[in-house]
């Protein structure tokens, strides 16, 4: 397999460091790896796989000679530098929302729509973390029986809001124990007018509200799912909630299949054969997915599979995955693997 020159933009962030780890762990055919970040982070040393890398400042010239550039430094950075990378011959795999809904840019989860990669023109978008794990689990069911409707409620970890949100959860937990007044400045959204403590709390807002009453996170899930499945008429509704969990997103998903009377056992059998999916579903032994045990694992875990009592084609599932891995870094690396194969 041809070796490639790789750049990681946002290399000092949570997702950037995981991308580097996954490239090395999966023995991606790398000729060279260039770590890029802000001017403030330039000169930082990062050690991985027994090798020390020096972080460089991201400038347009950084992408000279780069074959694949992973971006995970925020939408504004992607908008500023992604086209500069493409101009210099790189293929960009972008982890932000900057390009996801642009018509000519593929939005890819390899287990679902790897064929969309053939139409890329230099930029490939990595979907929202919550969207990735949901569509990966639903794809085998959709492929076999069709899918008419999805209603999802997410229970998302604070790591999805960055390292500062993790720090705030930890400090608030300590303040709560001592009954000190908790301070909040990050969640539900750093740009929001009001902030609420996340420790021992649940915040039913992720990102800003749209005029429709949905948050931007909810709209991402709804719109991205339709694009990935190639079905603009699919009925999708989402409610996204932030929980005091460090890593691992959970989702309660209700679906209506295109066929009636499918047994739970048939759904089990399909999911057990699905790539990247692990079924954990045995009520008799209290076996079901939990974020605590999904952290650090690549797979999407599915459990609590049951029929809806009021709809002959309705089913409920519980889906859990590490939002920094399959929800971000791993999916990006899998896209790159598909590109070079």
């Amino acid at each position: 397999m041809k070796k490639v020159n790789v750049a990681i933009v946002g290399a000092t962030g949570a997702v950037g460091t995981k991308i580097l780890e996954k490239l090395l762990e999966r023995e991606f055919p790398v000729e060279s790896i260039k770590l890029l970040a802000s001017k403030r982070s330039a000169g930082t040393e990062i050690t991985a796989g027994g090798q020390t890398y020096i972080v460089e400042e991201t400038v347009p010239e950084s992408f000279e000679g780069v074959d694949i550039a992973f971006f995970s430094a925020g939408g504004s950075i992607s908008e500023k530098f992604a086209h500069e990378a493409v101009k210099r011959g790189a293929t960009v795999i972008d982890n932000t929302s900057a390009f996801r809904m642009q018509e000519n840019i593929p939005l890819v989860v390899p287990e679902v729509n790897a064929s969309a990669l053939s139409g890329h023109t230099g930029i490939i978008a990595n979907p929202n973390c919550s969207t990735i794990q949901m569509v990966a689990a639903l794809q085998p069911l959709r492929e076999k029986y069709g899918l008419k409707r999805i209603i999802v409620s997410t229970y998302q970890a604070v790591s999805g809001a960055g390292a500062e949100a993790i720090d705030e959860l930890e400090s608030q937990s300590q303040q709560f124990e001592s009954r000190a007044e908790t301070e909040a400045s990050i969640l539900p959204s750093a740009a929001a007018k009001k902030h609420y403590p996340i420790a021992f709390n649940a915040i039913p807002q992720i990102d800003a509200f749209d005029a429709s009453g949905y948050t931007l996170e909810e709209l991402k899930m709804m719109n991205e799912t339709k694009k990935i499945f190639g079905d603009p008429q699919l009925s999708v509704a989402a409610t996204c909630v932030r929980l005091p969990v460090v890593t691992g997103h959970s989702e309660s998903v209700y679906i209506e299949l295109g066929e009636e009377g499918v047994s739970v056992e048939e759904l089990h059998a399909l999911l057990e054969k699905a790539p990247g999916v692990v079924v954990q579903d045995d009520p008799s032994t209290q076996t079901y997915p939990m974020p605590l045990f999904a952290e650090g694992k690549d797979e999407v875990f599915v459990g609590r599979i049951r029929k809806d009592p009021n709809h002959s084609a309705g089913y409920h599932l519980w889906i859990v995955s590490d939002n920094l891995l399959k929800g971000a870094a791993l999916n990006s690396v899998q896209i790159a693997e598909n590109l070079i194969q």
Side-chain angles (χ1 to χ4, degrees):
M1 192 176 291
K2 176 189 174 184
K3 290 191 174 184
V4 296
N5 297 313
V6 169
I8 303 174
V9 181
T12 58
V15 175
T17 56
K18 293 293 184 184
I19 289 173
L20 177 59
E21 289 176 14
K22 285 298 164 185
L23 287 171
L24 299 175
E25 176 189 307
R26 295 169 71 89
E27 298 182 345
F28 188 81
V30 166
E31 183 68 38
S32 67
I33 300 178
K34 184 182 293 188
L35 302 188
L36 303 172
S38 65
K39 184 176 182 179
R40 183 182 58 191
S41 297
T44 301
E45 293 186 358
I46 294 178
T47 301
Q51 185 172 343
T52 298
Y53 301 86
I54 306 298
V55 176
E56 303 174 27
E57 181 185 357
T58 308
V59 295
E61 292 72 28
S62 301
F63 303 100
E64 297 288 351
V66 171
D67 299 304
I68 296 176
F70 297 92
F71 275 68
S72 61
S76 61
I77 299 299
S78 293
E79 290 168 352
K80 182 177 180 179
F81 290 109
H83 290 291
E84 294 289 347
V86 173
K87 191 189 304 182
R88 289 164 173 79
T91 297
V92 169
I93 300 172
D94 184 57
N95 258 288
T96 76
S97 60
F99 306 108
R100 288 175 185 158
M101 295 311 298
Q102 292 189 19
E103 189 173 344
N104 64 329
I105 293 180
L107 183 65
V108 177
V109 178
E111 296 90 340
V112 180
N113 64 335
S115 60
L117 291 171
S118 62
H120 86 82
T121 57
I123 298 176
I124 298 156
N126 198 62
N128 180 276
C129 46
S130 300
T131 306
I132 290 173
Q133 67 186 66
M134 183 176 76
V135 299
L138 296 185
Q139 170 62 8
L141 310 184
R142 172 182 169 270
E143 199 171 35
K144 175 76 172 178
Y145 303 111
L147 194 56
K148 290 185 174 180
R149 189 177 192 186
I150 303 170
I151 300 175
V152 54
S153 294
T154 71
Y155 308 88
Q156 297 181 219
V158 295
S159 56
E164 289 182 342
I166 298 174
D167 292 342
E168 190 160 274
L169 169 60
E170 292 175 348
S171 64
Q172 288 174 359
S173 298
Q174 294 167 0
Q175 291 165 0
F176 186 90
E177 288 172 3
S178 63
R179 294 301 186 267
E181 185 176 347
T182 57
E183 299 177 2
S185 60
I186 303 296
L187 298 172
S189 171
K193 294 179 180 179
K194 296 173 69 175
H195 298 97
Y196 298 109
I198 185 60
F200 307 97
N201 195 18
I203 303 176
Q205 178 189 352
I206 299 178
D207 213 327
F209 282 102
D210 179 78
S212 64
Y214 285 89
T215 66
L216 299 184
E217 181 81 359
E218 292 159 352
L219 292 172
K220 286 176 195 173
M221 285 200 75
M222 293 153 67
N223 295 327
E224 290 175 19
T225 299
K226 294 178 183 182
K227 181 175 179 178
I228 294 165
F229 282 155
D231 185 358
Q233 303 307 314
L234 180 63
S235 176
V236 188
T239 300
C240 295
V241 180
R242 189 75 73 187
L243 290 189
V245 171
V246 175
T247 302
H249 289 351
S250 304
E251 299 172 346
S252 174
V253 183
Y254 168 75
I255 59 171
E256 291 174 9
L257 299 177
E259 294 185 22
E260 297 183 354
V262 179
S263 70
V264 168
E265 290 72 23
E266 289 175 292
L267 299 189
H268 266 259
L270 272 179
L271 288 166
E272 285 168 352
K273 293 185 291 184
V277 173
V278 173
V279 176
Q280 296 178 330
D281 192 11
D282 184 358
S284 69
T285 59
Q286 293 177 259
T287 300
Y288 35 70
M290 288 180 278
L292 182 64
F293 305 112
E295 184 175 354
K297 296 183 173 66
D298 289 344
E299 297 84 4
V300 174
F301 299 91
V302 185
R304 299 296 318 278
I305 305 166
R306 57 208 188 277
K307 294 191 76 166
D308 185 83
N310 302 304
H311 197 295
S312 58
Y315 301 83
H316 298 265
L317 306 90
W318 177 251
I319 302 170
V320 176
S321 190
D322 186 319
N323 53 295
L324 299 179
L325 294 181
K326 184 54 184 171
L330 174 62
N331 199 72
S332 297
V333 173
Q334 287 176 313
I335 290 172
E337 290 170 343
N338 275 265
L339 282 176
I340 64 174
Q341 284 174 354

